[in-house]
Amino acid sequence: MHTDSVPSHQVVRRYFQMWNTGDLSIAPQVLSPDWTDHAHPEVNGPADVQRAVTQTHTTRPGLRFYIDTILGDDDLLSVVGGVGHESRPRAIDIRLIWLIRVLDGQMVEMWTYRLSTP
């Protein structure tokens, strides 16, 4: 990552802030034009993500993404967290791990893994 770029951890936090608040202006700031979400291959680039955020806020109001920990530096990060609902702050219904590649201050790709519980 270039030294004049936004720190990777901050980029990732802003991405999840976009999902939680619905602030679509964040997408082109934090996502590469070549953005790929491997869990949702139909969503490519910032414009598709903006549509997905709008649709999610319409169909699942109150859905929230939570970050417990961000591990890594520079271009490859692991984010441990999950999904819950704003009516139950910090209660996580689904535990997830996201692997995110960042290049030049923007997220380029993401892989999502669901944690299984015994």
Coordinates of all heavy atoms in Angstrom, one line a residue, residues 8-9 12-13 16 67-81 96-102 109-111 113:
S8 N -5.3 0.6 5.8 CA -6.2 -0.5 5.4 C -7.3 -0.8 6.4 O -8.5 -1.0 6.0 CB -5.4 -1.8 5.1 OG -4.5 -1.6 4.1
H9 N -7.0 -0.7 7.7 CA -8.0 -1.0 8.7 C -9.1 0.0 8.6 O -10.3 -0.3 8.8 CB -7.3 -0.9 10.1 CG -6.5 -2.1 10.4 ND1 -6.5 -2.7 11.6 CD2 -5.6 -2.8 9.7 CE1 -5.7 -3.7 11.7 NE2 -5.1 -3.8 10.5
V12 N -11.5 -0.7 5.7 CA -12.4 -1.8 6.0 C -13.5 -1.3 7.0 O -14.7 -1.6 6.8 CB -11.6 -3.0 6.6 CG1 -12.5 -4.0 7.1 CG2 -10.7 -3.6 5.5
R13 N -13.1 -0.6 8.0 CA -14.1 -0.1 8.9 C -15.2 0.8 8.2 O -16.4 0.7 8.5 CB -13.5 0.7 10.0 CG -12.8 -0.2 11.0 CD -12.3 0.5 12.2 NE -11.5 -0.4 13.1 CZ -12.0 -1.3 13.9 NH1 -13.3 -1.5 14.0 NH2 -11.1 -2.1 14.6
F16 N -17.8 -1.3 6.3 CA -18.8 -1.9 7.1 C -19.7 -0.7 7.6 O -20.9 -0.9 7.8 CB -18.3 -2.7 8.2 CG -17.8 -4.1 7.7 CD1 -16.5 -4.3 7.6 CD2 -18.7 -5.0 7.3 CE1 -16.0 -5.5 7.1 CE2 -18.3 -6.3 6.8 CZ -16.9 -6.5 6.7
I67 N -17.7 -5.7 13.9 CA -16.3 -6.1 13.8 C -15.8 -6.4 15.2 O -15.9 -5.5 16.0 CB -15.4 -5.0 13.1 CG1 -15.9 -4.8 11.6 CG2 -14.0 -5.4 13.1 CD1 -15.3 -3.6 11.0
D68 N -15.2 -7.5 15.4 CA -14.6 -7.8 16.7 C -13.1 -7.5 16.6 O -12.5 -6.8 17.5 CB -14.7 -9.3 17.1 CG -16.2 -9.7 17.4 OD1 -16.9 -8.8 17.9 OD2 -16.5 -10.8 17.2
T69 N -12.5 -7.9 15.5 CA -11.0 -7.8 15.4 C -10.7 -7.7 13.9 O -11.3 -8.3 13.1 CB -10.3 -9.0 15.9 OG1 -10.7 -9.2 17.3 CG2 -8.8 -8.9 15.9
I70 N -9.7 -6.9 13.6 CA -9.0 -6.8 12.3 C -7.6 -7.2 12.4 O -6.9 -6.6 13.2 CB -9.1 -5.4 11.6 CG1 -10.6 -5.0 11.5 CG2 -8.5 -5.4 10.3 CD1 -10.8 -3.6 10.9
L71 N -7.2 -8.3 11.7 CA -5.8 -8.8 11.8 C -5.2 -8.5 10.5 O -5.8 -8.7 9.4 CB -5.8 -10.3 12.1 CG -6.6 -10.7 13.4 CD1 -6.8 -12.2 13.4 CD2 -5.9 -10.2 14.6
G72 N -3.9 -8.2 10.5 CA -3.1 -8.0 9.3 C -2.8 -6.6 9.1 O -3.2 -5.7 9.8
D73 N -2.0 -6.3 8.1 CA -1.6 -5.0 7.7 C -1.5 -4.9 6.2 O -1.5 -5.9 5.5 CB -0.1 -4.7 8.3 CG -0.1 -4.6 9.8 OD1 -1.0 -3.9 10.3 OD2 0.7 -5.3 10.4
D74 N -1.5 -3.7 5.8 CA -1.3 -3.3 4.4 C -2.3 -4.0 3.5 O -3.4 -3.6 3.5 CB 0.1 -3.7 3.9 CG 1.2 -2.9 4.6 OD1 0.9 -1.7 5.0 OD2 2.3 -3.4 4.9
D75 N -1.9 -5.0 2.7 CA -2.8 -5.4 1.6 C -3.7 -6.6 1.9 O -4.6 -6.9 1.1 CB -2.0 -5.6 0.3 CG -1.0 -6.8 0.5 OD1 -0.7 -7.2 1.6 OD2 -0.5 -7.3 -0.6
L76 N -3.5 -7.3 3.0 CA -4.3 -8.5 3.2 C -4.7 -8.5 4.7 O -3.9 -8.5 5.6 CB -3.5 -9.8 2.9 CG -4.4 -11.1 3.0 CD1 -5.5 -11.0 2.0 CD2 -3.5 -12.3 2.6
L77 N -6.1 -8.5 4.9 CA -6.6 -8.4 6.2 C -7.6 -9.5 6.5 O -8.3 -9.9 5.6 CB -7.3 -7.0 6.4 CG -6.5 -5.8 6.2 CD1 -7.5 -4.6 6.2 CD2 -5.5 -5.6 7.3
S78 N -7.7 -9.9 7.7 CA -8.7 -10.8 8.2 C -9.6 -10.1 9.2 O -9.1 -9.5 10.1 CB -8.1 -12.1 8.9 OG -7.3 -12.8 8.0
V79 N -10.9 -10.1 8.9 CA -11.8 -9.4 9.8 C -12.7 -10.5 10.5 O -13.4 -11.3 9.8 CB -12.7 -8.4 9.0 CG1 -13.6 -7.7 9.9 CG2 -11.8 -7.4 8.3
V80 N -12.7 -10.5 11.8 CA -13.5 -11.4 12.6 C -14.7 -10.6 13.1 O -14.5 -9.5 13.7 CB -12.7 -12.0 13.7 CG1 -13.6 -13.0 14.5 CG2 -11.5 -12.7 13.2
G81 N -15.9 -11.1 12.9 CA -17.1 -10.3 13.3 C -18.3 -11.1 13.1 O -18.3 -12.4 13.1
L96 N -18.8 -14.5 11.4 CA -18.2 -14.5 10.0 C -16.7 -14.1 10.1 O -16.3 -13.4 11.1 CB -18.9 -13.5 9.1 CG -20.4 -13.8 8.8 CD1 -21.0 -12.6 8.2 CD2 -20.5 -15.1 8.0
I97 N -16.0 -14.6 9.1 CA -14.6 -14.1 8.9 C -14.6 -13.6 7.5 O -15.0 -14.3 6.6 CB -13.6 -15.2 9.1 CG1 -13.6 -15.6 10.6 CG2 -12.2 -14.7 8.7 CD1 -12.6 -16.8 10.9
W98 N -14.1 -12.4 7.3 CA -13.9 -11.9 6.0 C -12.4 -11.7 5.7 O -11.7 -11.2 6.5 CB -14.5 -10.5 5.8 CG -16.0 -10.4 6.0 CD1 -16.9 -10.7 5.1 CD2 -16.7 -10.1 7.2 NE1 -18.2 -10.5 5.6 CE2 -18.1 -10.1 6.9 CE3 -16.3 -9.7 8.5 CZ2 -19.1 -9.8 7.8 CZ3 -17.3 -9.4 9.4 CH2 -18.7 -9.5 9.1
L99 N -12.0 -12.2 4.6 CA -10.6 -12.0 4.1 C -10.6 -11.0 3.0 O -11.4 -11.1 2.1 CB -10.0 -13.3 3.6 CG -9.9 -14.5 4.5 CD1 -9.3 -15.7 3.9 CD2 -9.1 -14.1 5.8
I100 N -9.9 -9.9 3.2 CA -10.0 -8.8 2.3 C -8.6 -8.4 1.8 O -7.7 -8.2 2.5 CB -10.6 -7.6 3.1 CG1 -12.0 -8.0 3.6 CG2 -10.7 -6.3 2.2 CD1 -12.6 -7.0 4.5
R101 N -8.6 -8.1 0.5 CA -7.4 -7.6 -0.2 C -7.6 -6.2 -0.5 O -8.6 -5.8 -1.1 CB -7.0 -8.4 -1.4 CG -5.7 -8.1 -2.0 CD -5.3 -9.1 -3.1 NE -6.1 -9.0 -4.3 CZ -5.8 -8.3 -5.3 NH1 -4.7 -7.5 -5.3 NH2 -6.6 -8.3 -6.4
V102 N -6.6 -5.4 -0.1 CA -6.6 -3.9 -0.3 C -5.4 -3.5 -1.2 O -4.3 -4.0 -1.0 CB -6.5 -3.2 1.1 CG1 -6.5 -1.7 0.9 CG2 -7.7 -3.6 2.0
E109 N -10.8 -7.2 -3.3 CA -11.6 -8.5 -3.2 C -11.9 -8.9 -1.8 O -11.1 -8.5 -0.9 CB -11.0 -9.7 -4.0 CG -9.7 -9.6 -4.5 CD -9.1 -10.8 -5.2 OE1 -9.9 -11.7 -5.7 OE2 -7.9 -10.8 -5.3
M110 N -12.9 -9.7 -1.7 CA -13.3 -10.2 -0.4 C -13.8 -11.6 -0.5 O -14.6 -11.9 -1.4 CB -14.3 -9.3 0.3 CG -14.7 -9.7 1.7 SD -15.7 -8.4 2.5 CE -17.3 -8.5 1.6
W111 N -13.4 -12.4 0.5 CA -14.0 -13.8 0.7 C -14.6 -13.8 2.0 O -14.1 -13.3 3.0 CB -12.8 -14.8 0.6 CG -12.1 -14.9 -0.6 CD1 -12.3 -15.8 -1.6 CD2 -11.0 -14.0 -1.1 NE1 -11.4 -15.6 -2.7 CE2 -10.6 -14.5 -2.4 CE3 -10.3 -12.9 -0.5 CZ2 -9.6 -13.9 -3.1 CZ3 -9.3 -12.4 -1.3 CH2 -9.0 -12.8 -2.5
Y113 N -16.4 -16.2 5.1 CA -16.5 -17.6 5.7 C -17.4 -17.5 6.9 O -17.2 -16.7 7.8 CB -15.1 -18.1 6.0 CG -14.2 -18.2 4.8 CD1 -13.4 -17.1 4.5 CD2 -14.2 -19.3 4.0 CE1 -12.5 -17.2 3.4 CE2 -13.4 -19.4 2.9 CZ -12.6 -18.3 2.6 OH -11.8 -18.4 1.5

